[in-house]
Amino acid sequence: MMRLAQTKFGVQVHFADGSIEEHDAVIGADGIRSRVRAQLFGPVDPIYRGYTVWRGVAFYRRRAMRPGYNSESWGHGSRFGILDIGQDRFTWYATANAPHPALPGERKGELLQRFAGWHQPIPALIESTELILENGAYDLPPLARWTDGRVALLGDAAHPCTPNLGQGGCMALEDALVLAKCISSDQSAEFALRRYESLRRRRTRHIQHRSLLMGQIGQWQNRAAVSGRRVVTGLLPAALFEHNLRRVYSYET
């Protein structure tokens, strides 16, 4: 078990084998089940949000699909997204409500059955996929703090979010860039880490909240709620969707 001990001039990292390393600062970029976060603020279990997510990459000749075709289809408690990544390859993701995280099983057969009645090319993409990844949708509420002295969190260790906006890895890259700028321009490690957190908090909170909300709405399965969702989204102006998308995807550090 790793243990951190801060000194006046750095951070000692004590490893299970008895070895000790000392550094000017420590950055915990160790994911949603971060050991560094547990060392700083105590253990906390990620929250399962009630649905399973599958992902895959399919080789599929477009036929009637135009180049650059992207889509997300919503059903009753399920969604299916398609992204054209070029050279007749499409990355896709699917979701389905489940009371507990899915156990390992025969994924392709299950998905073909689950999405059999959906529009093409959804069944064809599933059939054309060799490797399918399966994960539960987890996150955590925004943390009160990410830093403690010379130790800070980054990426999913600091602000894990559900995958509904595709921003988990992107947030970590943005964190890293802002952190590098703060470290290169500030005099002390402690101040640089506090500055990094202050610059990233608003952005990451927005992504966490919006991703959670999008997942909740997208996973509705009550027929009346789904019908209402269809009507409301059909009435909303395209400019509103574009504004919200730009706030997420046009961010500059």
Side-chain angles (χ1 to χ4, degrees), residues 26-30 34 36-37 40-41 143 145-147 151-155 157-158 175 196:
V26 168
I27 307 300
D30 51 343
S34 170
V36 176
R37 185 183 65 231
L40 294 181
F41 308 120
L143 297 176
R145 289 192 299 152
W146 303 352
T147 60
V151 183
L153 304 175
L154 182 148
D175 284 353
Y196 148 73

Side-chain angles (χ1 to χ4, degrees), residues 1-241:
M1 178 63 179
M2 177 201 67
R3 180 172 62 85
L4 301 177
Q6 298 201 51
T7 69
K8 184 177 180 180
F9 302 105
V11 184
Q12 292 181 346
V13 185
H14 297 249
F15 294 97
D17 63 1
S19 61
I20 301 174
E21 297 283 345
E22 185 164 358
H23 301 279
D24 294 335
V26 168
I27 307 300
D30 51 343
I32 190 171
R33 293 175 173 82
S34 170
R35 293 187 178 184
V36 176
R37 185 183 65 231
Q39 286 277 314
L40 294 181
F41 308 120
V44 58
D45 291 329
I47 300 172
Y48 176 60
R49 294 302 183 177
Y51 53 98
T52 298
V53 183
W54 296 270
R55 301 176 180 88
V57 177
F59 179 79
Y60 178 76
R61 297 199 179 279
R62 294 187 182 89
R63 298 176 178 87
M65 296 168 64
R66 66 184 184 277
Y69 177 87
N70 300 318
S71 70
E72 183 169 289
S73 302
W74 289 15
H76 295 80
S78 294
R79 288 173 286 157
F80 199 100
I82 303 171
L83 300 168
D84 183 355
I85 57 176
Q87 299 182 337
D88 293 325
R89 292 186 180 275
F90 294 82
T91 183
W92 58 264
Y93 53 90
T95 69
N97 288 343
H100 305 286
L103 297 174
E106 210 292 280
R107 296 169 181 168
K108 181 179 288 189
E110 177 187 353
L111 287 172
L112 286 171
Q113 182 178 6
R114 184 181 293 276
F115 291 96
W118 288 50
H119 65 79
Q120 288 292 355
I122 289 174
L125 288 174
I126 297 172
E127 186 63 56
S128 302
T129 303
E130 294 184 4
L131 177 63
I132 298 175
L133 303 179
E134 181 178 354
N135 303 98
Y138 290 89
D139 69 356
L140 285 173
L143 297 176
R145 289 192 299 152
W146 303 352
T147 60
D148 181 10
R150 292 173 175 261
V151 183
L153 304 175
L154 182 148
D156 279 354
H159 43 73
C161 60
T162 54
N164 298 290
L165 299 178
Q167 289 295 291
C170 298
M171 292 294 97
L173 292 172
E174 291 177 8
D175 284 353
L177 178 57
V178 173
L179 176 60
K181 289 181 177 179
C182 290
I183 290 175
S184 65
S185 61
D186 294 318
Q187 294 182 345
S188 70
E190 293 96 329
F191 185 84
L193 297 184
R194 290 196 301 271
R195 176 65 174 160
Y196 148 73
E197 179 181 349
S198 69
L199 291 173
R200 294 295 296 155
R201 178 169 295 282
R202 183 178 180 183
R203 161 77 168 165
T204 56
R205 276 180 178 266
H206 172 71
I207 296 298
Q208 284 183 287
H209 287 309
R210 184 167 181 79
S211 184
L212 178 62
L213 177 63
M214 289 296 293
Q216 291 170 338
I217 296 174
Q219 294 304 128
W220 285 351
Q221 63 184 58
N222 177 274
R223 291 191 177 276
V226 170
S227 296
R229 181 183 66 191
R230 185 180 300 114
V231 171
V232 171
T233 54
L235 294 174
L236 292 175
L240 179 60
F241 286 103

